[in-house]
Amino acid sequence: GGQAYNNEGAQITRLTGGLVTLDWDSYNQVDLLNDGNIDEIEIDDASMQEGGCYVLLVKAATGALASITFTADVPANLKWFQGAAPTDITQVTNSLAVFTFIKSGGFVLASYWYAT
């Protein structure tokens, strides 16, 4: 099982492995502090408003290679502007990965960049 985040605050510290489900009912931005143990991030696209823009900030708690799979409720709904989702997020302590998701036409259009 995983943990869904929507009402316990937009700042999340995840120090155990497994699945994180981002439920966007309450927040348009989620700050996720990751120590490298997250395996999968599922975007709950059913909780996203059409035309809405959502931001995920992933900050490294420790230097780690975070191998993360991104999915959606319906996997085909998640489209990446860069053509493919990142899988290995190379992190140094306090590095930041910024993911932007836009719900459009029933699809979730995703992009990402790294602030070093």
Side-chain angles (χ1 to χ4, degrees):
Q3 284 178 268
Y5 295 102
N6 66 339
N7 56 9
E8 59 182 82
Q11 289 204 349
I12 304 161
T13 298
R14 180 60 183 261
L15 299 175
T16 57
L19 168 70
V20 171
T21 299
L22 297 182
D23 181 333
W24 299 97
D25 289 338
S26 301
Y27 297 100
N28 281 65
Q29 177 173 315
V30 172
D31 299 345
L32 177 59
L33 184 66
N34 178 31
D35 72 348
N37 286 332
I38 295 171
D39 301 316
E40 181 177 354
I41 295 176
E42 180 176 77
I43 305 302
D44 180 5
D45 50 292
S47 69
M48 303 168 87
Q49 297 297 316
E50 179 69 21
C53 181
Y54 304 86
V55 176
L56 169 65
L57 303 179
V58 180
K59 188 173 184 179
T62 59
L65 180 66
S67 179
I68 298 175
T69 301
F70 285 86
T71 61
D73 295 336
V74 179
N77 286 356
L78 189 58
K79 309 287 187 185
W80 292 87
F81 283 121
Q82 286 91 339
T87 52
D88 290 331
I89 300 173
T90 303
Q91 300 183 109
V92 294
T93 302
N94 294 324
S95 67
L96 190 65
V98 180
F99 299 89
T100 303
F101 305 95
I102 299 170
K103 179 80 172 281
S104 178
F107 293 99
V108 178
L109 308 178
S111 63
Y112 60 92
W113 60 277
Y114 299 102
T116 55

